Amino acid sequence: MHPMVKPALRRGWRDLNTVQFGMTPAHALTLGPVDTATGSFLDLLDGTRGLALLREEGRRMDLPDGHVDRLVERLARAGLLDDARGGGPEAADLRERKEVLDRLRPDLAALSLLTSEPGDAIEHLTVRRRLRVQVRGAGRVGAVLAALLSGAGVGEVDVRDGGRVEPGDIAPGGLPAEAVGERRDESARRAVRRAAPGPAPRRGPGPPAEADTPGFSLVIIAPRDDVSVHAPDPSAAEPLIVSGTPHLYAGVVEGTGVVGPLVLPGETGCAGCLHQERTDRDPAWPRLVAQWHSGRRRAARACDVTLATTVAGLAAAHALIFLDGRTPSSAGARWEVSVPTLQWHARPVWPHSACPCGAAEKGKQEHISEDRGTHATMAVQHSQEFCRTTDAARLAGTWRAHV
């Protein structure tokens, strides 16, 4: 192990005996009491020395025997240490690709804030490079979103869309102006390749994919059609529900941006649940949706470029949280923001008993198990907690199978 105080956390002395690591309340930690010699020794924890050399440095600084090991253990237990050579063989290979790692160092530093064990951050980064994600939609939201995921180190980002690029599809970070007239999917894939920090690791031979199994860790549905953003078609996601593929919705409708729900098939509310719940509240809902879909085509749909970019960024962040093994707050909820107030609101998407996705039925079974004194968690509790927690302990075991 080559211990390194996480470089993402700025360090400062609160007083003569207390060190604060980090600035923001979300990640700041204090450590004390710390004497002057130990404070000086912290500067040596920069990843260039192994434990044996650090012990020698400690003796040279007249630190007591065992003090270095206790300090390293204490810092590691607090989640303040990384390992400059940790993460396994794939991490070692990534470190040798200096031009790739240099592009990803800010992402690696950010990942270190979300991991506790030394070496975990770069291991998460190597996992990202093995993942396959599909983005359905190459408009102002989808193309930017796909490029962001590629730039964050996701190894394969496939973009699907039809037609040719129109001037209104152009957005900074997405499709360039010179792409007008080109096929949307091809242009978006070029944007993805431009954003990538480097080539993804080669895939080894694996079993052939089944016809109904997309083989993606996550599918992101980012339609250019504003009606499909506001009222996602349940039938379009049926193959994803059947294959158990997690999928996330994102887009802009009129002056409102939407991120979510992240659908974990059989666990959380889906597009069908959303449709059923809206119909329960408003019997005219199906009639309105049919009229919106059959209405006359407009010359341009409202899609403010800054709002679209904001939605793409937040959706990409939610996607990465999920791909890194946690559960974002969009699981079982739609995050919505409207101009001009720009205040985000979470609207739960509850599993509906009339929806064939099975999430409501699973919730009933877990509720019965809870009543019998088991440790199962109710699906309704999941839907509530998804809006305020990132604890993915139970779901991670299920959904990492798609990685």
Side-chain angles (χ1 to χ4, degrees), residues 2-360:
H2 281 62
M4 173 175 61
V5 175
K6 291 181 177 179
L9 298 173
R10 289 188 177 272
R11 192 164 78 235
W13 290 84
R14 297 187 64 85
D15 53 43
L16 293 176
N17 301 300
T18 308
V19 183
Q20 177 172 316
F21 297 86
M23 298 183 289
T24 61
H27 301 107
L29 290 171
T30 58
L31 184 69
V34 177
D35 57 58
T36 304
T38 301
S40 299
F41 183 81
L42 289 174
D43 292 330
L44 302 181
L45 297 175
D46 58 3
T48 62
R49 303 168 181 82
L51 282 172
L53 185 55
L54 286 171
R55 293 186 189 106
E56 290 182 19
E57 296 284 358
R59 285 191 290 271
R60 210 172 281 124
M61 298 172 67
D62 294 326
L63 294 176
D65 289 342
H67 184 77
V68 169
D69 291 86
R70 288 192 297 271
L71 176 64
V72 168
E73 181 182 356
R74 188 179 178 190
L75 291 170
R77 195 165 57 245
L80 294 170
L81 275 193
D82 209 343
D83 183 357
R85 297 191 183 179
E90 286 184 271
D93 179 68
L94 179 56
R95 290 188 186 97
E96 291 180 2
R97 300 172 182 269
K98 187 177 183 303
E99 71 288 350
V100 176
L101 186 56
D102 284 348
R103 281 276 304 273
L104 292 171
R105 283 193 190 281
D107 303 274
L108 178 60
L111 275 171
S112 74
L113 299 176
L114 305 178
T115 56
S116 56
E117 293 297 321
D120 274 2
I122 196 166
E123 186 174 358
H124 275 69
L125 205 55
T126 61
V127 170
R128 278 188 191 179
R129 286 164 54 77
R130 297 199 305 267
L131 300 182
R132 301 180 67 230
V133 174
Q134 185 181 77
V135 178
R136 297 182 179 179
R140 283 188 163 189
V141 173
V144 174
L145 202 165
L148 287 171
L149 293 176
S150 180
V154 176
E156 182 180 337
V157 182
D158 178 51
V159 186
R160 297 294 173 91
D161 205 342
R164 296 189 176 274
V165 178
E166 299 176 359
D169 296 324
I170 304 307
L175 303 181
E178 57 269 23
V180 173
E182 297 177 350
R183 285 184 49 173
R184 278 197 185 90
D185 53 358
E186 291 181 356
S187 182
R189 289 168 191 159
R190 279 197 295 273
V192 165
R193 290 193 293 270
R194 285 195 300 268
R202 288 187 177 181
R203 293 180 173 276
E210 299 294 333
D212 60 349
T213 303
F216 294 102
S217 304
L218 178 67
V219 171
I220 302 175
I221 302 171
R224 290 176 290 108
D225 173 27
D226 52 357
V227 179
S228 297
V229 173
H230 188 53
D233 181 9
S235 64
E238 282 179 3
L240 300 175
I241 296 289
V242 171
S243 64
T245 303
H247 47 287
L248 173 69
Y249 292 88
V252 172
V253 50
E254 296 174 348
T256 297
V258 179
V259 175
L262 168 64
V263 180
L264 307 179
E267 294 278 352
T268 65
C270 66
C273 297
L274 178 64
H275 178 78
Q276 293 289 347
E277 190 273 334
R278 283 172 162 173
T279 303
D280 289 347
R281 284 192 292 109
D282 181 4
W285 175 256
R287 188 181 310 120
L288 288 170
V289 174
Q291 292 176 72
W292 293 333
H293 276 299
S294 61
R296 186 173 58 186
R297 188 180 186 275
R298 287 165 296 165
R301 299 182 179 92
C303 187
D304 177 270
V305 68
T306 59
L307 182 60
T309 304
T310 300
V311 168
L314 186 65
H318 280 248
L320 289 172
I321 289 170
F322 173 74
L323 294 171
D324 290 337
R326 294 174 174 81
T327 304
S329 59
S330 55
R334 276 165 63 103
W335 281 96
E336 299 179 0
V337 61
S338 299
V339 293
T341 59
L342 297 177
Q343 293 180 334
W344 286 96
H345 299 279
R347 303 186 186 279
V349 179
W350 307 104
H352 197 284
S353 58
C355 182
C357 72

